[in-house]
Amino acid sequence: MQRNNSHSSGLDQVNHIPGFRFNIGMAMLLFLSILLPSCKSSSAAQSGSTRSGEGALGGALSQSVILDSVRSAALATILPAYTDWQTAEISGKLRMNKLPISPTIKIYMKKGEEISISVRASLLGEVGRIEIAGDSVIAVNKMKRVYCAESISGIKYDYPDLIADIQSLLLARAVVLRAGELSPLNADFLDFTPLSAISPSWLLSYPKGRTEDDEFGYEYRINAQGQTERLLVDLSTGDHDFSLALDYTYPSSGFDMNISFSSDGSKKFNALVDFDNVKWEAKAPAPLNLGSRYTRLGIKQFIKSF
């Protein structure tokens, strides 16, 4: 299916995706972009208007050169780490205040096709799994022997690169909604702002010229090594304000991802995942075998099973 590169207003475009409207659980997927307008010039008939036009054009071209220079420097730092891949595995520890233990999370990904998240506890083995593949999502609570299966065909019809973009987020890579992982082909969709004159670092933001009146916006903070340090997504519905933040830190090996979700300024969810180094060319996990021992539940009942 062809990627849709049309870019309308922020909140309107999000709500146009079936199943996304007011779905906060999918907030990390809400990334939008907008095309940078092209500049055209025309000659004036009179010398005065010509000089004025040349001055305006010269200023626009000068500004364009500066913007191109900032963007080029950022891309030259960021993109070398975005190596191509086919399969990958990431393991880590999930840490939450309300959890009595810190379960192990193992994520397997097949590029653009599949995501499998296995949750394991000491002495118990695998206690749960989430699989996103094709047009469906399956979540399993092995401790209670229940599962939930939901279709995402409506979302994928309008957003065919859904799985690929989630994978990029899990790899701490910048994403542009419906334009894929950051590349020279979609870089114009974002504003690039240098954060320091001493150490190269950048803020990548949407929409261009973002103001407080925008209902939806997001920004990436990129460090001098080209690594994503922070992703912040803001959404206002008129009645409520929502914020999702992913903060990345990089110890000697692997990376840590802190996930924080807030509603109307009050923090509703917080978790930390300590990830090991990514393993490329990974092997797929054993397939799920639910059989008659497991009971299928609706999504609300399944959540209550925990």
Side-chain angles (χ1 to χ4, degrees):
M1 183 177 295
Q2 292 291 326
R3 189 192 302 266
N4 185 345
N5 281 326
S6 62
H7 296 272
S8 57
S9 64
L11 190 58
D12 288 342
Q13 188 175 356
V14 172
N15 285 336
H16 178 68
I17 301 175
F20 265 81
R21 188 176 183 88
F22 211 67
N23 189 343
I24 303 306
M26 304 292 267
M28 70 166 58
L29 309 179
L30 307 182
F31 300 96
L32 304 175
S33 52
I34 189 169
L35 288 171
L36 179 69
S38 60
C39 296
K40 295 183 179 180
S41 63
S42 60
S43 61
Q46 299 180 354
S47 59
S49 60
T50 299
R51 287 192 296 271
S52 176
E54 288 175 348
L57 177 59
L61 288 176
S62 176
Q63 182 69 13
S64 178
V65 169
I66 293 174
L67 292 175
D68 287 344
S69 177
V70 171
R71 182 172 60 234
S72 297
L75 293 179
T77 303
I78 299 169
L79 297 185
Y82 288 13
T83 54
D84 195 16
W85 60 281
Q86 296 303 317
T87 60
E89 180 183 287
I90 322 174
S91 296
K93 284 281 189 179
L94 173 64
R95 307 186 190 280
M96 294 178 62
N97 291 334
K98 294 182 179 181
L99 289 180
I101 60 173
S102 295
T104 298
I105 293 179
K106 181 177 288 187
I107 303 174
Y108 167 81
M109 300 184 293
K110 185 176 182 180
K111 188 174 182 179
E113 298 182 19
E114 178 184 352
I115 301 173
S116 176
I117 304 175
S118 175
V119 181
R120 297 173 178 272
S122 179
L123 303 179
L124 297 176
E126 186 176 57
V127 296
R129 191 189 297 190
I130 299 174
E131 289 194 348
I132 308 173
D135 293 333
S136 66
V137 176
I138 298 176
V140 182
N141 181 345
K142 289 192 171 183
M143 300 298 293
K144 298 292 182 66
R145 292 189 177 181
V146 296
Y147 73 99
C148 175
E150 297 289 333
S151 172
I152 57 172
S153 59
I155 298 175
K156 288 196 66 180
Y157 177 81
D158 202 67
Y159 189 178
D161 295 317
L162 173 69
I163 292 177
D165 285 355
I166 296 175
Q167 291 172 339
S168 293
L169 290 176
L170 291 171
L171 293 173
R173 299 181 177 188
V175 169
V176 179
L177 180 71
R178 296 185 176 181
E181 194 170 275
L182 178 65
S183 75
L185 298 178
N186 59 30
D188 282 347
F189 298 165
L190 304 173
D191 267 334
F192 286 72
T193 305
L195 296 176
S196 171
I198 300 175
S199 177
S201 56
W202 301 270
L203 193 70
L204 281 56
S205 59
Y206 167 87
K208 287 177 177 293
R210 182 180 175 185
T211 70
E212 295 181 355
D213 295 330
D214 291 314
E215 296 171 315
F216 177 86
Y218 71 91
E219 61 185 34
Y220 288 96
R221 186 180 294 269
I222 308 293
N223 65 22
Q225 288 72 47
Q227 300 166 320
T228 300
E229 287 189 338
R230 182 175 175 84
L231 166 62
L232 179 63
V233 182
D234 292 313
L235 173 66
S236 175
T237 65
D239 297 325
H240 300 282
D241 295 320
F242 302 98
S243 178
L244 174 71
L246 303 181
D247 290 285
Y248 303 87
T249 55
Y250 301 87
S252 57
S253 63
F255 65 94
D256 300 339
M257 181 172 66
N258 188 80
I259 307 167
S260 178
F261 174 71
S262 300
S263 173
D264 297 326
S266 176
K267 186 174 291 186
K268 301 299 184 181
F269 174 85
N270 185 251
L272 175 68
V273 185
D274 302 329
F275 284 118
D276 297 328
N277 288 326
V278 179
K279 296 180 181 179
W280 307 111
E281 306 306 322
K283 294 183 179 180
L288 283 171
N289 183 17
L290 300 178
S292 59
R293 298 180 304 159
Y294 285 80
T295 302
R296 181 172 180 175
L297 301 177
I299 187 168
K300 291 183 178 179
Q301 290 75 24
F302 179 79
I303 293 174
K304 290 180 179 179
S305 71
F306 289 95

